[in-house]
Amino acid sequence: MATELDNSGDLKLVRSGLAKLASALPMWQVREDAATGKGNLPYAPKGVDVEYLALQKMAPLPLIRLAVRTTCQRLRAGGVRTAKGADFDKELWRIWDRNNLGSRQRIVYRDGIVHDRGIMSVWPNKADKSTPIVRPESPKAVWIEPDPADPFSSIWAVKHWTESRDDKTITVAMLYTPKYWAKFEGDGAQNLGEVKRGKNPLGRVPFVTFEPEIDAEGNNSSLIDALMEPQKAVNTLRFDLLLAAQFAAYRQRIATGYDPVVRDGNGDPIVKRDPETDEPILDADGLEQPLIRSPGRVGVDRMLVFPGTDTEITDLSESDLGNYVTALDMLVATFAAVAQVPPQYLIGDFKNVSGDLMVATEATLRSLVTDLQTGYGESDKEVFRLVEIARGGDADALSDLEVDWSDADPKNINQIASAASQMVPNGAPMRMFLEQWPGSTPRTVERWFADAEAELSRVMAGDYAATETGPKPDE
């Protein structure tokens, strides 16, 4: 589909970006399967029966998924602050809300944890210039090329997708540079042609990366890579436990010296015969099938009687499943330590755990979340800078921007209220305690203050009935 618009240099960049995305796709799928609980099943020898395979499917325990969700549930930007004042901050946050990023922000946070990189895009909105378009992007579909001289900045990016047109699948690829963008289409990555181009109104590559771990050379890593092997160990031991519970958890009766084959007077096996042709019935290997005498059904109210003088009935003791449980708890606790998740979240054992102890076990998770908020906060700031450019503002005016994160840590509201009652009368600001209240955001705190001020004004004006909840005097 090459046209007169084609630029060989740009097409080379597009193909390079698509090739890098294709080479990263297998690892993307491995990480996605691990994060969604679809990792490899525990090992089982070939040829095992259906019962073994059913236990093999039951064995996996999706701890990686739980660890990722536990962390992501504590990552939620709740507001922004700048030196320009509350009205300016509210307008920035309005744009965030209009793009439904209150819920969609978790997409990029999760992608950063799972796939080593989350991506968010910003672009001017032709329909409403005051509200730029901000979207999470899939790291499977967007490649961002780092600057060799400065790996923390990008020099171009490629985004691709497919469309169905006239029963044909068309590959669409977009190239973005700080100066321009170009659109390519074709029936495959190797048959693309440029169909359109234009000026980049942002003057920057319109993608922002969210990378939880990155080194000085710009190399990033997934936080779940270190959890895959511990996850496999847990799955394998759970498989062993299920097998032991199925086949060795109860006392087994065994018979020795018993020949179940029916024999004639000469001691030769009597074979099965077709009742119509009287021909021997053969098994799958072509061998004659002997008649087998039933040993009877085992039961507490039945007696087993075997022919022959050499038959002995004994039993095998059951397996101790407690050893499996102990080892499994140890592996899960080790997984929790590597994932920086409180072990009680994974084991589910809350016996004899005090509130203070539970808060203490949250320390490692709190450290992880704080570290992620620091890195993701810088990315969120860059998103807002691009938003300011997209709506015609000055990104340098947001140099002092700060992101407020909603506090999702477990809180003892009685302790917060007690501390406030003691410290506020001595000069501590009430805002300090309201911001720690579960579920509070800068906007809810402002609303609480406004409501309190309105109530106080009515009381000072003598409108006591508006604030009282009891019956009025005439009642």
Side-chain angles (χ1 to χ4, degrees), residues 41-50 52-53 56 239-240 243:
L41 296 176
Y43 169 77
K46 292 183 178 180
V48 297
D49 58 24
V50 175
Y52 272 79
L53 295 178
Q56 185 189 35
F239 184 39
D240 295 341
L243 287 173

Side-chain angles (χ1 to χ4, degrees), residues 57-68:
K57 293 179 180 179
M58 297 179 195
L61 184 66
L63 295 180
I64 292 180
R65 178 178 181 274
L66 180 58
V68 171

Side-chain angles (χ1 to χ4, degrees), residues 335-347:
F335 179 95
V338 177
Q340 290 186 252
V341 176
Q344 67 266 17
Y345 284 16
L346 307 181
I347 298 176

Side-chain angles (χ1 to χ4, degrees), residues 16-205:
S16 174
L18 295 180
K20 291 176 180 178
L21 287 172
S23 65
L25 184 58
M27 192 62 199
W28 184 95
Q29 193 62 56
V30 169
R31 290 168 174 167
E32 185 65 20
D33 288 344
T36 54
K38 300 178 182 178
N40 295 331
L41 296 176
Y43 169 77
K46 292 183 178 180
V48 297
D49 58 24
V50 175
E51 195 170 9
Y52 272 79
L53 295 178
L55 295 176
Q56 185 189 35
K57 293 179 180 179
M58 297 179 195
L61 184 66
L63 295 180
I64 292 180
R65 178 178 181 274
L66 180 58
V68 171
R69 287 181 59 84
T70 298
T71 305
C72 288
Q73 286 167 355
R74 304 197 178 195
L75 293 169
R76 186 167 65 88
V80 293
R81 300 184 189 184
T82 67
K84 288 184 169 291
D87 292 340
F88 182 85
D89 299 347
K90 289 179 181 178
E91 178 61 17
L92 278 182
W93 197 247
R94 181 194 65 81
I95 299 171
W96 183 272
D97 279 343
R98 283 287 299 274
N99 284 279
N100 299 319
L101 294 176
S103 61
R104 292 177 181 173
Q105 61 180 302
R106 65 179 178 83
I107 298 175
V108 292
Y109 302 155
R110 177 192 180 275
D111 284 344
I113 294 173
V114 175
H115 298 296
D116 72 33
R117 167 179 293 186
I119 301 174
M120 196 173 285
S121 65
V122 179
W123 198 250
N125 186 350
K126 293 182 179 180
D128 181 6
K129 186 177 180 180
S130 66
T131 309
I133 300 172
V134 187
R135 295 286 186 270
E137 302 284 351
S138 171
K140 184 174 65 171
V142 177
W143 176 262
I144 303 174
E145 184 70 14
D147 187 342
D150 180 11
F152 299 101
S153 61
S154 55
I155 53 178
W156 56 267
V158 170
K159 176 182 176 179
H160 79 98
W161 65 91
T162 58
E163 298 179 359
S164 295
R165 301 178 189 171
D166 300 327
D167 298 328
K168 294 182 179 179
T169 300
I170 304 298
T171 298
V172 181
M174 297 290 298
L175 172 66
Y176 296 93
T177 73
K179 294 183 178 180
Y180 61 88
W181 57 266
K183 184 177 182 179
F184 297 79
E185 293 183 359
D187 56 7
Q190 299 304 317
N191 189 26
L192 293 172
E194 183 177 336
V195 296
K196 195 175 182 180
R197 70 168 49 224
K199 180 182 178 181
N200 184 345
L202 299 179
R204 303 185 186 185
V205 174

Side-chain angles (χ1 to χ4, degrees), residues 358-381:
M358 289 187 63
V359 172
T361 59
E362 295 274 342
T364 55
L365 178 59
R366 177 68 259 174
S367 298
L368 173 62
V369 171
T370 300
D371 187 45
L372 291 173
Q373 288 176 344
T374 301
Y376 286 163
E378 294 300 323
S379 298
D380 281 336
K381 292 178 187 179

